[in-house]
């Protein structure tokens, strides 16, 4: 076997712990999104459809029901054009993984397939096909639908870890009390926030991280609603100054920071910050970075500057079935970068060393930080 084949085999076999998703355990009922209509109305594909069909006003698109929206996306991006974007290619990968025709003229076959699926079995099949052993959800207690489920005593599938998202909670009247309450109820593996510029979180957040030994995840460089007409698809990106992150890591050496950046330019500066501060763990290729070319480039850069001491990917999946494509595609890019770095070693690695490194990168390091 070639080195590339040995590395691909080890990376494909390594169980994934997915550090950041928007998925919900099946116990969350309708919040657990799956199936072809959810796949096709993923906000990445909505933005791409509205771009491909500029005569279609966003308001007219959103006025249609989900099935009609999915039909529009399918026709625009899969029938009248080739599914060349990563989000479109991903849907094709998922359909093919279930033995469905990704070149079908319409969605009848796919809809019939998913309609016949039982959700419990579907969850098992998707996690198996994606090679995901555990994942972190994004849990926001300010969301009325989610809050009601937690208050009703919901107990998620133990493979679906909670992550307490603070974007809106941080504005709470008594943040300390809210953090105490929701950490006790959700038992989150980390606290998380997305920001444009880096700034120190309220003291109560870092105090909670210390008290409960929880990492703090900062997702940096998003500019919300640059085009509000697109709704959840309307956010943009900024390259930002990471100097405040250096100060935060230096002033809080006993807090672990999970960090991902949205701008390609910040990938390099984050690697340098991580070289200076062992309590900063770069993770994933977030959102507009989650494309094969950038996953390989980012993983190369991180391996060259950090060695195998980071988490190369998270899926950010919003629809359960996306785990299949997001991890199949990411494993290819990660394996390619790993192969190139192994190729630079004077003595090639043994199969055991390749397996050890692949297991650490795909799940081991994430598992240590999540204590999962
Ligand atoms: O803030 C976030 O967690 C982002 O991932 C947003 O949810 C974004 O809309 C997204 O889904 N990116 O993949
Ligand atoms: Zn996300």
């Amino acid at each position: 076997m070639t080195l590339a084949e040995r590395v691909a085999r080890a990376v494909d076999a390594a169980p994934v712990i997915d550090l950041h998703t928007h998925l919900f355990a099946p116990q969350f009922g309708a919040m657990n999104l799956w199936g072809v209509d959810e796949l096709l109305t993923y906000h990445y594909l909505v933005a791409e459809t509205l771009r491909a069909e500029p005569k279609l006003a966003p308001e007219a698109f959103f006025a249609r029901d989900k099935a009609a929206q999915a039909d529009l996306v399918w026709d625009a991006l899969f029938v009248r054009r080739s599914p060349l974007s990563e989000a479109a290619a991903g849907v094709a990968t998922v359909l093919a993984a279930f033995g469905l025709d990704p070149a079908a003229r319409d969605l009848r076959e796919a809809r019939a397939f998913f309609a016949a699926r039982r959700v419990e079995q579907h969850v098992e099949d998707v996690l198996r096909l994606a090679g995901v052993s555990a994942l972190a959800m994004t849990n926001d207690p300010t969301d009325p639908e989610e809050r009601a489920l937690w208050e009703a005593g919901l107990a998620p599938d133990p493979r679906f870890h909670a992550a307490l998202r603070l974007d809106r909670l941080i504005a709470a009247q008594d943040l300390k009390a809210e953090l105490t309450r929701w950490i006790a109820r959700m038992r989150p593996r980390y606290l998380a926030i997305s920001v444009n510029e880096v700034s120190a979180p309220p003291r109560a957040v870092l105090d909670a991280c210390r008290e409960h030994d929880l990492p703090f995840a900062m997702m940096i460089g998003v500019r919300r609603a640059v085009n509000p007409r697109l709704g959840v698809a309307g956010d943009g990106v900024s390259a930002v100054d990471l100097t405040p992150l250096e100060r935060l890591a230096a002033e809080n050496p006993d807090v672990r920071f999970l960090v991902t950046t949205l701008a390609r330019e910040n990938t390099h500066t984050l690697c340098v910050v991580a070289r200076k501060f062992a309590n900063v763990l770069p993770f994933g290729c977030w959102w507009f970075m989650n494309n094969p070319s950038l996953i390989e480039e980012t993983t190369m850069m991180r391996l060259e500057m950090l060695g195998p001491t980071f988490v190369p990917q998270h899926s950010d999946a919003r629809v359960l079935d996306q785990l299949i494509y997001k991890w199949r595609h990411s494993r290819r890019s990660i394996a390619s970068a790993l192969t190139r770095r192994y190729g630079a070693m004077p003595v090639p690695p043994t199969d055991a060393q390749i397996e050890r490194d692949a297991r650490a990168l795909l799940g081991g390091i994430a598992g240590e930080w999540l204590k999962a």
Side-chain angles (χ1 to χ4, degrees):
M1 284 178 92
T2 65
L3 177 60
E5 288 164 338
R6 293 164 57 213
V7 173
R9 180 179 59 180
V11 168
D12 286 351
V16 156
I17 292 185
D18 196 340
L19 260 186
H20 169 61
T21 78
H22 297 270
L23 300 179
F24 288 95
Q27 291 73 20
F28 285 82
M31 293 184 78
N32 166 27
L33 304 180
W34 56 285
V36 70
D37 289 298
E38 294 296 350
L39 282 170
L40 287 169
T41 52
Y42 183 38
H43 71 73
Y44 291 31
L45 293 171
V46 172
E48 291 168 28
T49 299
L50 292 171
R51 171 176 179 70
E53 302 294 341
K55 292 189 182 63
L56 174 60
E59 295 75 11
F61 178 86
F62 289 118
R64 300 178 188 213
D65 67 22
K66 191 173 286 285
Q69 292 179 9
D71 288 335
L72 271 173
V73 172
W74 185 256
D75 187 56
L77 303 185
F78 295 79
V79 176
R80 288 190 289 111
R81 295 173 180 82
S82 301
L84 289 168
S85 76
E86 175 57 8
V91 173
T93 294
V94 172
L95 295 180
F98 285 120
L100 299 167
D101 179 6
R105 303 293 297 173
D106 60 44
L107 297 171
R108 266 176 306 191
E109 177 202 36
R111 282 181 175 135
F113 169 82
F114 284 102
R117 303 283 290 171
R118 209 170 40 79
V119 63
E120 293 74 16
Q121 186 55 51
H122 194 62
V123 169
E124 298 309 321
D125 290 347
V126 170
L127 292 176
R128 175 177 47 77
L129 286 167
V132 171
S133 57
L135 60 89
M137 302 182 281
T138 294
N139 303 103
D140 175 3
T142 70
D143 173 306
E145 184 182 10
E146 179 171 2
R147 184 192 191 95
L149 289 167
W150 285 109
E151 287 175 339
L154 166 134
D157 177 316
R159 295 167 294 182
F160 289 69
H161 298 308
L164 179 53
R165 186 68 175 255
L166 302 179
D167 291 37
R168 283 195 285 270
L169 191 68
I170 209 151
Q173 198 65 32
D174 184 345
L175 179 57
K176 182 172 169 42
E178 286 295 294
L179 288 169
T180 302
R181 174 184 182 195
W182 291 107
I183 288 171
R185 179 66 194 83
M186 293 179 175
R187 313 305 298 161
R189 301 298 175 137
Y190 63 87
L191 308 186
I193 196 165
S194 73
V195 292
N196 184 2
E197 301 285 342
V198 182
S199 60
R203 178 153 200 78
V205 171
L206 295 178
D207 287 349
C209 289
R210 288 189 180 90
E211 184 183 339
H212 301 276
D213 188 19
L214 293 173
F216 183 49
M218 299 188 79
M219 307 174 74
I220 301 166
V222 55
R223 238 166 346 107
R224 297 292 177 187
V226 299
N227 182 354
R229 293 177 67 195
L230 299 190
V232 71
D235 301 326
V237 60
S238 301
V240 299
D241 172 17
L242 294 188
T243 311
L245 176 64
E246 292 168 351
R247 270 200 305 279
L248 204 52
E251 290 164 6
N252 301 278
D254 54 337
V255 175
R256 291 170 293 148
F257 294 92
L258 286 165
V259 183
T260 197
T261 50
L262 192 50
R264 185 184 187 190
E265 304 84 333
N266 280 140
T267 304
H268 185 261
T269 41
L270 178 56
C271 282
V272 177
V273 174
R275 285 175 63 89
K276 305 306 142 198
F277 297 98
N279 58 330
V280 171
L281 179 72
F283 78 94
C285 299
W286 184 27
W287 198 344
F288 305 119
M289 292 294 293
N290 195 352
N291 298 310
S293 62
L294 294 178
I295 297 166
E296 181 160 352
E297 174 187 281
T298 298
T299 305
M300 279 297 287
M301 199 185 288
R302 288 170 171 169
L303 285 170
E304 288 166 340
M305 277 204 263
L306 305 173
T309 67
F310 61 94
V311 176
Q313 186 58 304
H314 67 277
S315 70
D316 231 321
R318 284 174 169 263
V319 180
L320 182 71
D321 313 282
Q322 290 176 333
L323 288 176
I324 296 169
Y325 89 81
K326 285 173 180 278
W327 283 107
R328 275 201 190 162
H329 296 186
S330 293
R331 289 178 198 263
R332 279 191 214 127
S333 303
I334 293 165
S336 179
L338 257 181
T339 302
R340 288 165 62 192
R341 291 309 301 156
Y342 282 135
M345 289 167 43
V347 177
T350 63
D351 285 345
Q353 288 165 337
I354 295 171
E355 183 183 346
R356 170 202 61 196
D357 299 340
R359 291 176 68 86
L361 287 165
L362 275 292
I365 295 166
E368 282 161 25
W369 277 61
L370 295 193
K371 295 186 172 31

